[in-house]
Amino acid sequence: MRICCIGAGYVGGPTMTMIAHKCSDIIVDVVDINADRIASWNSDNLPVFEPNLDGLVKEVRNKNLFFSTDVETAVERADIIFISVNTPTKKYGYGAGRASDLSYVEACARTIAKVSKTGKIVVEKSTMPVRTADVIKTILASTGMKFQVLSNPEFLAEGTAVQDLENPDRVLIGGDEETQEGRDAIDVLASIYERWVSPEKIIKTNLWSSELSKLTANAFLAQRISSINSISALCEATGADVDQVATAVGSDTRIGSKFLKSSIGYGGSCFQKDLLNLIYLCEHFNLPEVAKYWRGVVEINEYQKKRFSDKIVESLFRNICGKRIAIFGFSFKENTNDTRETPAIDICRNLLSENAVLAFYDPQVSAEQICADLQIEKTDSRVEFCKSPYEASENAHAIVLLTHWDEFTKLDYEKIKKAMMSPAWIFDGRNCLNHRLLLELGYLVHAVGKGNLS
Ligand code: NAD
Ligand code: UGA
């Protein structure tokens, strides 16, 4: 069997590496139009930073896993084609700022239609609005050949991709359940996952349920974060401690303890885009009340980022002009180099608009990436890029912790304080530091959802 995956990104690369690893008899071609990305996958410096991914890639690359820019050859030879391209928020025309831009998906469907000599199984791996499979089906049907379109959304989270792929909570496969060909195609895909996932974890549904389940899962996850973040504002106003509230609330098995960590807001390439898409779909299907409900989740996230940067400005006597502020972490979460929609962007922009001097340190994000995200030049006098958190905090008035990288919890904060200006502030946007110890060392501390820290 030969598999082709179109799109060598954060999903395509790791997902196909796992399939190649678990199925040595299947040849897996991962193709992309981005030649730099493919060169990177073929080098020692992978484009995606994920714990334990490098070793897996090395074990199977050029054995049964191949990275290439030759999209057409790989598509033509494949029995199963995964579409794993980006589906960003549309920037123009109908649905701008809300709907998904499906142009990359459509381009894939057209390539498949153009070069295929026989019918194949085509799998939507990208996150799609419900009923997108119709678009792909219609384009493929124009060839006169018989294709089966399946929906197999990916649930991995960045930073834990390898463990999520190796041991998923579930694998979801949607297809044309009404026909024998449809059911056969679902079973073929299921048989690949069954090499390492137990059958009871493989959920088979119709196409539309599968597409909608993915959007709903991300909406529910984002909703939990906005829920606890909304309570964090109330904690700060009342003196309650959001971590204690989360523990007490999450101990109810009906609620559960995961995904209740209060923060500066969720980031990442998907929550925002998938929520906006869900809202757009609700409006499209004339369900304004449902759209309004989900819009609240997005609004709380924006509020949380703004609240945090406002707190910094306010604490530093409403004057941060020319003040050096150390920024600890820029990626949207720990253990990834991904900065898409990271809350750090909005927070840093707010601080830069007050002419603060930001000294950045992130273990995986480059200065070039930070400048591109903030739309500033590397030579801008308001930014500095440091090789260590110690360097970033020298002469700083404040440390602003934006990403929960483990190394930030292990620093010598006594040494750091001696090199900082006084009073020395720490704004812990992830509630991951030992606040009691920091207070003892003489820092002024603000943490999300912690009433009075003194
Ligand atoms: P990405 O931007 O990292 O990768 C997409 C890749 O597709 C890019 O390298 C791009 O060059 C390539 N591409 C675009 N059009 C192409 C074409 N016509 N032919 C060949 N290559 C093409 O995106 P990603 O983060 O991997 O996400 C992909 C999809 O998976 C999205 O729909 C996303 O919502 C979904 N998803 C992402 C994650 C995640 O953790 N990032 C998790 C689950 C689902
Ligand atoms: C998320 C989902 O968890 C995956 O299941 C899904 O496949 C993926 O989106 C996707 O569709 O792209 P990801 O965005 O990679 O994965 O990472 P998460 O762990 O979900 O974190 C998202 C954001 O929420 C991060 O900024 C994180 O710091 C924040 N977060 C998470 C919190 O603020 N509090 C929490 O309790 C959990």
Side-chain angles (χ1 to χ4, degrees):
M1 188 188 283
R2 246 189 135 109
I3 288 178
C4 162
C5 173
I6 312 180
Y10 283 85
V11 168
T15 313
M16 293 302 127
T17 302
M18 187 56 71
I19 290 182
H21 202 257
K22 299 290 183 187
C23 315
S24 55
D25 55 319
I26 299 180
I27 297 177
V28 183
D29 290 305
V30 186
V31 292
D32 203 295
I33 42 175
N34 182 334
D36 288 344
R37 226 172 200 190
I38 290 298
S40 206
W41 278 111
N42 281 320
S43 75
D44 284 338
N45 192 13
L46 302 185
V48 167
F49 172 75
E50 271 295 338
N52 304 321
L53 182 63
D54 288 40
L56 278 191
V57 170
K58 276 185 193 144
E59 275 177 38
V60 287
R61 190 173 55 195
N62 298 328
K63 292 194 178 114
N64 65 327
L65 175 70
F66 300 90
F67 293 97
S68 153
T69 51
D70 189 352
V71 180
E72 295 198 353
T73 304
V75 166
E76 196 212 310
R77 291 197 296 208
D79 305 296
I80 303 181
I81 300 163
F82 286 80
I83 299 179
S84 192
V85 297
N86 34 333
T87 48
T89 305
K90 202 165 171 246
K91 292 204 175 94
Y92 56 89
Y94 275 116
R98 292 173 300 148
S100 282
D101 181 348
L102 294 177
S103 56
Y104 305 98
V105 173
E106 185 177 332
C108 293
R110 289 184 184 280
T111 303
I112 298 168
K114 183 179 140 204
V115 304
S116 295
K117 298 205 171 74
T118 54
K120 298 165 190 294
I121 296 175
V122 176
V123 184
E124 298 177 341
K125 184 51 102 178
S126 301
T127 304
M128 315 271 194
V130 56
R131 295 204 77 91
T132 306
D134 260 350
V135 176
I136 301 173
K137 275 184 176 177
T138 308
I139 292 171
L140 297 179
S142 68
T143 63
M145 290 179 283
K146 283 202 165 174
F147 288 88
Q148 281 299 322
V149 178
L150 302 178
S151 160
N152 173 222
E154 184 48 60
F155 294 101
L156 69 78
E158 289 179 31
T160 52
V162 171
Q163 72 193 60
D164 294 344
L165 289 166
E166 181 122 45
N167 188 18
D169 285 347
R170 80 303 213 181
V171 168
L172 179 57
I173 304 177
D176 194 353
E177 287 182 305
E178 303 302 315
T179 66
Q180 188 57 46
E181 292 93 329
R183 290 192 293 273
D184 289 346
I186 293 174
D187 289 344
V188 169
L189 185 56
S191 71
I192 294 175
Y193 286 107
E194 277 167 13
R195 309 273 191 110
W196 77 97
V197 179
S198 58
E200 58 275 17
K201 280 189 174 177
I202 300 180
I203 302 172
K204 300 174 183 177
T205 67
N206 74 30
L207 270 168
W208 320 130
S209 304
S210 174
E211 288 180 333
L212 186 55
S213 299
K214 173 63 194 176
L215 285 187
T216 308
N218 273 358
F220 273 44
L221 289 169
Q223 179 208 45
R224 277 178 76 90
I225 301 170
S226 279
S227 296
I228 197 69
N229 281 343
S230 72
I231 297 302
S232 77
L234 195 54
C235 287
E236 284 168 39
T238 57
D241 177 323
V242 74
D243 283 336
Q244 292 179 345
V245 174
T247 304
V249 172
S251 307
D252 185 327
T253 51
R254 294 170 302 175
I255 296 173
S257 60
K258 291 184 185 163
F259 251 70
L260 284 181
K261 187 74 187 160
S262 189
S263 65
I264 43 176
Y266 60 74
S269 63
C270 294
F271 281 174
Q272 183 79 351
K273 117 177 134 56
D274 292 346
L275 272 165
L276 291 174
N277 187 224
L278 188 67
I279 294 164
Y280 176 73
L281 284 170
C282 295
E283 285 168 352
H284 174 80
F285 289 106
N286 198 20
L287 301 166
E289 290 80 3
V290 186
K292 190 174 165 208
Y293 174 77
W294 289 108
R295 201 175 301 115
V297 174
V298 176
E299 284 167 2
I300 287 290
N301 202 51
E302 297 303 312
Y303 166 73
Q304 189 74 350
K305 291 185 272 188
K306 180 82 170 57
R307 230 165 55 73
F308 189 70
S309 53
D310 282 354
K311 183 76 189 179
I312 297 168
V313 178
E314 198 187 298
S315 304
L316 298 178
F317 315 115
R318 292 194 192 85
N319 168 31
I320 56 170
C321 179
K323 287 184 180 165
R324 186 178 164 95
I325 296 179
I327 303 293
F328 282 12
F330 197 81
S331 57
F332 81 96
K333 64 183 282 199
E334 65 279 18
N335 297 327
T336 177
N337 59 346
D338 196 347
T339 63
R340 290 177 291 179
E341 300 286 342
T342 174
I345 296 176
D346 285 347
I347 291 166
C348 292
R349 276 196 187 141
N350 289 346
L351 300 179
L352 286 174
S353 72
E354 292 288 335
N355 286 334
V357 176
L358 303 186
F360 291 94
Y361 170 75
D362 185 291
Q364 287 294 333
V365 181
S366 67
E368 289 69 26
Q369 185 61 51
I370 294 174
C371 290
D373 287 333
L374 296 176
Q375 294 174 323
I376 53 169
E377 298 296 325
K378 211 172 152 188
T379 50
D380 192 311
S381 59
R382 295 170 303 166
V383 292
E384 287 172 36
F385 300 94
C386 305
K387 293 197 168 51
S388 75
Y390 295 99
E391 187 190 335
S393 43
E394 246 171 64
N395 294 322
H397 289 260
I399 292 169
V400 174
L401 188 151
L402 299 180
T403 314
H404 185 170
W405 285 101
D406 194 38
E407 68 173 271
F408 297 147
T409 64
K410 296 179 178 148
L411 300 174
D412 181 345
Y413 282 98
E414 191 170 6
K415 176 175 154 190
I416 286 179
K417 178 152 184 312
K418 285 189 186 133
M420 286 178 71
M421 305 295 285
S422 278
W425 272 95
I426 290 196
F427 298 89
D428 183 357
R430 298 289 179 172
N431 287 350
C432 62
L433 300 178
N434 181 341
H435 302 142
R436 191 62 36 223
L437 176 75
L438 294 173
L439 290 167
E440 276 166 27
L441 291 174
Y443 284 97
L444 299 175
V445 182
H446 169 74
V448 178
K450 307 271 173 174
N452 301 316
L453 282 177
S454 56

